Amino acid sequence: MTQLPTSTDKKLGLVIDLDTCVGCHACVISCKGWNTENYGAPLADVDAYGANPVGSFLNRVHSYEVQPESGPSQLVHFPKSCLHCEDAPCVPVCPTGASYKRSEDGIVLVNEDACIGCGLCAWACPYGAREMDPTAGVMKKCTLCVDRIYNENLPEEDRIPSCVRTCPSGARHFGDFADPNSNVSKLVAERGGMDLMPEMGTKPVNKYLPPRIKDTLNTAGTCGELETVSEDATGFLGWLDKALEKL
Amino acid sequence: MHPAPSVILFSSLSGLGFGLLFWLGLGFPNVEGLVAFVFFAIAYALAVGGLIASTFHLGHPERALGAFTQWKTSWLSREAWMSVGALVFMGLYAAALVFLNNHIPVLGFIGAAFSLATVYTTSMIYGQLKTVPRWNMSLTSPMFLTISVAGGALIAGQITAALILLVIAGLVQVAYWVSGDKAFANSGTDMASATGLGNIGSVTAFEPPHTGTNYLLKEMVHVIGRKHALKLRVIALILMVVLPVVLLLLSQNHFVALVAAVSHLIGVMASRWLFFAEAEHVVGLYYGKR
Amino acid sequence: MAFKQPVIDTSPKVSDEIRQTTCYMCACRCGINVHMKDGKVAYIEGNRDHPVNKGVLCAKGSAGIMQVNAPSRLQAPMKRVGPRGSGEFETISWDEAMDIAVGWLKPIRENDPEKLAFFTGRDQSQSFTGFWAQNYGTPNFAAHGGFCSVNMAAAGIYTMGGAFWEFGQPDWDHTKLFLLFGVAEDHDSNPIKMGISKVKANGGRIVGVNPIRSGYNAVADDWVGITPGTDGLFILSLVHELMRAGKIDLDYLARYTNAPVLVNGDEKSPEFGLFLRDKDGKELVIDKNTGKLAPFDQKGVRPDLSATHRAKGITHRPVMHMMAERYLDKEYAPENVAERCGISAERIKTIAAEIARVAFDEAFELDHEWTDFRGETHKTMIGRPVSFHSMRGISAHSNGFQTARALHVLQILLGTVEVPGGFRFKPPYPKPVSAHPKPHCKVTPGAPLNGPHLGYVTGPDDLMYKDDGTPARIDKAFTWENPMSAHGLMHMVISNVHAGDPYKIDTLFMYMANMSWNSSMNTSGVMKMLTDQDENGDYVIPRIIYSDAYSSEMVAYADLILPDTTYLERHDCISLLDRPICEADAAADAIRWPVIEPDREVRGFQSVLVDLGARLGMNGFVNEDGSAKYKDYADYIVNHERKPGIGPLAGFRGKDGDQFGRGDVNPDQIDRYIENGGFAVNHIPEGANYYKPWNNAYQDWAVGVGIFDKPEPYLFQLYVEPLRKFQLAAEGHGDRQPPEHLRERVKETMDPLPIWYAPFEDSHVDPEEYPVHALTQRPMAMYHSWGTQNAWLRQLYGRNPMYLPTDIWEKHGFEDGDWAEITSAHGSITVPVMLMASLNASTIWTWNAIGKRKGAWALSEDAPEATKGFLLNHIIHELLPPKADGMRWTNSDPVTGQAAWFDLRVKIRKTAALAEVDPSFPPIKSPVGQGPKDIAWKVGK
Ligand SMILES: Nc1nc2c(c(=O)[nH]1)N[C@H]1C(S)=C(S)[C@@H](COP(=O)(O)OP(=O)(O)OC[C@H]3O[C@@H](n4cnc5c(=O)[nH]c(N)nc54)[C@H](O)[C@@H]3O)O[C@H]1N2
Ligand SMILES: Nc1nc2c(c(=O)[nH]1)N[C@H]1C(S)=C(S)[C@@H](COP(=O)(O)OP(=O)(O)OC[C@H]3O[C@@H](n4cnc5c(=O)[nH]c(N)nc54)[C@H](O)[C@@H]3O)O[C@H]1N2
Ligand code: SF4
Ligand code: SF4
Ligand code: SF4
Ligand code: SF4
Ligand code: SF4
Ligand SMILES: [Mo]
């Protein structure tokens, strides 16, 4: 049954750092490349060179503007892929059992051979993490690169998701949230990692690190206006002589 | 949500079909032989036609049998079972009626129960979805059920019942709309919770991830104007409830009943179109659209 | 029944083989692992061992597979059959193509080599293409630097012997305060991102100075939304604040800069403003130890920043005095620049204070002993953890040279260049002006030019004029219009060739530059010039040869097309002689090699040049007996020697391949590079890796690897004497003086100490009528025009709205889905608009080079790039509107000729939405057809 496992041994997932993501889309394309060539059907693009190109992607980078009460507007780049929710609503809705959450590591996957392409799981996902492939007619979603992270044909350091390996800004981190000492658990603890739409009750495994507080260098006084040694060249040269003597 | 013709057809036709089966199963009208055949044929045409339409939006209809496996968790799977149950029991019941002139009420009652359950499971496919606040309401199932039963009564020629049920269905429908209009706001999900950025300030979407469209936008983000929606609601309500009721009150001849039934069906379709088109999926928030 | 999880293969085979080469989806040149399946490219990832990207890869790099398979790839050589610009071609053989090319080029070389103009765009083989052009004998060669960022390069070289761009980097490991001026992406795409993340991880602060808060500026801790074109003023105001407070590094200034160098103060002298030098030409300072004059580099000298020198009635003052006089002036006080810059005085003061705090209060020391060029040994290296980086946001303005200078002067005053925590050079930089060539233009028919085309002038005598006083080069580089145009002016070539000014050209030969579209100003004008016919019906530009790999807009305007390979199909050499991939701690270079063989009739362009060189019998390309010297480019890369022991590749030299930099030719060199992942690195020893211009250990290392022939320590030039020489000429000294109409401008703009003046467009158009600044930015996931043909990337940026700030949005009552007419003094475009709040209130912008011509790039004619995408280039002109005297100035920096893309001023009017953007041009006939409808493939299947 596509019942959710009551608990999973590991909780593998991603931490995404909204403070450092520069919105370069590297993760988007790297993901597309890996997952076209690997797990399941290739990620297709229809009307690829035409007026209305539409392809399936497992990861997309949004951007938002945030207007604080005072100070200038801020811009936040916001990558989003499957959050591998603990209470994943996309799993129980699936009529075929194609959508499932792995009991060993919590990865939410689609068994493409069983998927009838009804789209219900995508409706059930609040985050827009599932897309129907336009030519294969099966549901596609982030696999957490399940075919990389355990892959013995890859060097050990490369057994991480493609998007994490490629991110130039180091804004993506992969690890086990079930382990409180893992890199990801620590980051979440240190930086106040947050859930998206917590009210949905999905209990996302992936966490987002909020942007640090911005625009603090605003007015003189914050870090002290500089004291004057001289307002004009003559005075400056006098100061210079004195200062040089001290050197 | 994208008002796909296949799902609109499916839910309106099958709703009406199972509604009719419900009445036939209860023995209203009490018919046998050829007349029964005609009634059942209409009911099956509607119910099965609807179900077939629903497969049009599947990526892999050839694997549809797999949809029976997950009844423990999936309302879609349950719907599959319920509809098969309804069709099988009603089929046996009908066969006995039509070919043996034998009325086996137990079969009919079971079939009727399955028919209602089918409509209920259909409604729960939508009603379960927290992601679509307008669907995730306690009124969703009553709305589906009352419309189904009212429509069934109408076609089954149960005039009095139809009159009453149509009015009830109309009231439920209006209530559904009224509370639906507040559902998104009441859900507590907004740009702030979607992005987690709310404590910095007010959040607006800047650039979308891709300049073109995508599956999510096509499937789940459908924006319809408020005025447009209101107009359609009025039309839906008139066609689905008001006109049939007025017609039935004025005259009860077969032709008028047919006009009333057709009007009702078109009204239901309009209502279903709105059911989808007005439903906003929370994912729209990520695209700054809702 | 219990649910059984499907069994999945978590260890699938990844590929048959990995081939390591260098990315060329942009100029950053990251190392890539190309995973091959069945001999085809299956997946591309970053090379973890590579010095540039250390494993990461950007979107473009990962999308390389779609570029290599793009339907827009040219298939074979082509000869134009329809009218120019129509896109009608006939496919021809390589033999025929080469015959045609030789038929055109041979007579020119023999009779009048200057009638060939050979300009290469974004390639990275300029040391080779320049070598070819020099041996051909034409003076008319340059690459794209003139329209790109020569301000950045020239200001850096003249001031401190190296620039930002890709020639240096912040000390990412130590910097605590990083200020980024006018950068959206830059060439160091991945390294900057990695660096930003490092600074953040170390708890540092990033300040983004940019009218637009996207990308790097979005992640910056503080955003300074400056008004375009005013950075110079802002920077000099910071200088004012720091000097006023005495927060400058006096020790550093005295030792390593020309702050103590004495300047002639005699207004009447022809030497006025020039340095006092000894008879060997060495700049003189006062030695603090003795109080006497001494050459700056004399052993043991302690230059005095303050003391003046009086001789023969003339007072010579140190540069430091002149700086104090200038920058302490109230003119630069925060209160007086705030409004103009759009930054409050308080904010400027706070930023200055923070810079001072971090530079001085957070100073630290590294335990590396080192000895300077005066022989003094320092126990430690002092670190000042403030660093700066900047690119086209300041350089693509007509005041960009001086602004970039100002920024360098600011860094130097703080003592944060080449110190731990500050800005660091990457070999072969630092390199003083004197170690660079000067430009050459002496033409001899049938023989090579008398020297390299491009270089660094040090005064009016170095300008490139013919004996008759007319400009020697077709782009008028190194003339009074832009004396220090170190990269040439590719953006002026087509209009000058069209005008026959300064002379007529027979053949225009271009490579890898989309000159009829996104790299030109005044796009429609350029298309007209390319197709213009004279009274006889002949094209005004007689012949155009072009090499591209793809079906770009420019292809349609050529008469002969030499189709290039893609980056995975050819040999390339990313050479230390050119723009290498070094790091601050290492010298490094790299190659590309054919990881796949081309499946079309295409040839690597460099190999074609090697072949052409041989067919034309050019020196350097033929043996004594006239036979071809090199089989192809790979052969050249291995066997060519610039100087004995120094060739295009520094790695694996010598018989055993164990030498770096200097060494005999190694026939196995390319194989050794391939084995090593496509690159070679040589690390700078610890203790030699900071203070490079003055560090004996570094200088010795640099000589060892062939960067210099002898140690070349030098001083940072706060005061740039060559500028003063041009200014002196304008003041009436010497026999080479500027023409009258330029005299005032030269006097004003070629100031030897940084100044700020308003961008030229401000004084040529009415700022009241055109109140809005219009900019472009590079999207991180697209490389100029190339990204569009890539099925994955074009979904990210398939069209480009014009982003408007809230003020303008509300003032004009815009709503979602609206369009606007954007008008400059030169023309109008009508395009879709979108709201952006994180934007300077008088600035609008759009993404660069997304708009496409119908029919190009194998896209359908109704592609969004063509119907909704647009170029700002349509409304930027290469000339400014006429002034009162009727003269039209070029839209360039007056010092370097850098194209002033970002000076543009516009006005805005709300309009009804159009079906297509305006202007729209007639479609080009696609020489490669159109790409397939749907794609869904796995290489491994
Ligand atoms: N409005 C505005 N305009 C600008 C700028 C701006 O900021 N704003 N920036 C300017 C700057 S800095 C620059 S550098 C220019 C860049 O402008 P261009 O140099 O014109 O840049 P590309 O679009 O990269 O065009 C290069 C051409 O090289 C071709 N090409 C790609 N790969 C290969 C290859 O392997 N071999 C060959 N032979 N050809 C190849 C492409 O198909 C394309 O036709 O644009 C300038 N134009
Ligand atoms: N992905 C990608 N990478 C590229 C390229 C590409 O096309 N795509 N092109 C390569 C090339 S050829 C080049 S030259 C480099 C250029 O790299 P960048 O210098 O990053 O070039 P632009 O994208 O033109 O960005 C200019 C920035 O300056 C800002 N700006 C404009 N005017 C002002 C001003 O007056 N003051 C300040 N402070 N900021 C200002 C703009 O808002 C913009 O952010 O990028 C290289 N790297
Ligand atoms: S993010 Fe969406 S698809 Fe992924 S587990 Fe959660 S609900 Fe399912
Ligand atoms: S689309 Fe596939 S995975 Fe999703 S619910 Fe339907 S059958 Fe299950
Ligand atoms: S983990 Fe793998 S599948 Fe998921 S977004 Fe990253 S690259 Fe794509
Ligand atoms: S690769 Fe990293 S920096 Fe780039 S968009 Fe993805 S998460 Fe952000
Ligand atoms: S920055 Fe991207 S496109 Fe440029 S060389 Fe590196 S990986 Fe390739
Ligand atoms: Mo450039």
Side-chain angles (χ1 to χ4, degrees), chain C residues 248-368:
Chain C
I248 55 179
D249 189 339
L250 295 177
D251 188 51
Y252 182 96
L253 289 168
R255 289 172 185 274
Y256 310 125
T257 78
N258 68 10
V261 169
L262 296 165
V263 178
N264 183 316
D266 177 10
E267 284 181 34
K268 287 183 211 77
S269 160
E271 311 261 284
F272 176 49
L274 301 186
F275 292 145
L276 189 63
R277 293 172 185 273
D278 68 9
K279 52 186 180 319
D280 299 330
K282 287 264 163 76
E283 295 94 313
L284 291 171
V285 297
I286 304 270
D287 184 356
K288 259 186 121 170
N289 302 325
T290 63
K292 297 242 164 63
L293 283 180
F296 78 93
D297 59 350
Q298 185 175 295
K299 294 267 174 270
V301 161
R302 296 290 311 276
D304 193 327
L305 278 180
S306 184
T308 57
H309 172 75
R310 212 175 146 78
K312 298 185 199 131
I314 300 172
T315 303
H316 298 265
R317 294 187 306 156
V319 167
M320 197 69 230
H321 280 212
M322 304 173 74
M323 292 189 61
E325 209 155 72
R326 176 166 296 172
Y327 301 118
L328 285 168
D329 194 291
K330 280 272 176 271
E331 186 189 344
Y332 297 109
E335 288 76 12
N336 293 331
V337 308
E339 197 188 325
R340 183 98 218 199
C341 298
I343 313 168
S344 73
E346 287 70 32
R347 194 116 199 262
I348 297 173
K349 289 180 187 172
T350 317
I351 293 168
E354 177 68 2
I355 290 174
R357 187 188 68 76
V358 179
F360 297 103
D361 300 354
E362 292 199 26
F364 60 101
E365 287 177 31
L366 288 187
D367 244 348
H368 299 324

Side-chain angles (χ1 to χ4, degrees), chain C residues 627-703:
Chain C
S627 61
K629 193 162 176 184
Y630 306 110
K631 195 164 97 292
D632 55 14
Y633 190 44
D635 194 16
Y636 165 91
I637 292 174
V638 172
N639 291 302
H640 172 74
E641 287 181 288
R642 258 315 134 86
K643 288 185 223 164
I646 294 184
L649 288 177
F652 310 106
R653 298 194 71 83
K655 224 175 43 278
D656 304 323
D658 55 1
Q659 281 161 273
F660 188 94
R662 295 178 192 270
D664 289 342
V665 165
N666 171 7
D668 297 329
Q669 195 178 26
I670 286 190
D671 289 340
R672 295 293 300 273
Y673 268 82
I674 293 172
E675 277 164 35
N676 196 53
F679 63 93
V681 206
N682 188 285
H683 287 275
I684 303 172
E686 215 171 77
N689 54 351
Y690 290 96
Y691 292 91
K692 289 174 193 141
W694 321 290
N695 185 331
N696 285 349
Y698 174 80
Q699 295 286 326
D700 292 344
W701 174 86
V703 172

Side-chain angles (χ1 to χ4, degrees), chain C residues 848-861:
Chain C
N848 186 42
I850 298 299
K852 294 285 135 57
R853 178 92 180 259
K854 287 180 189 150
W857 305 102
L859 300 182
S860 67
E861 287 179 13

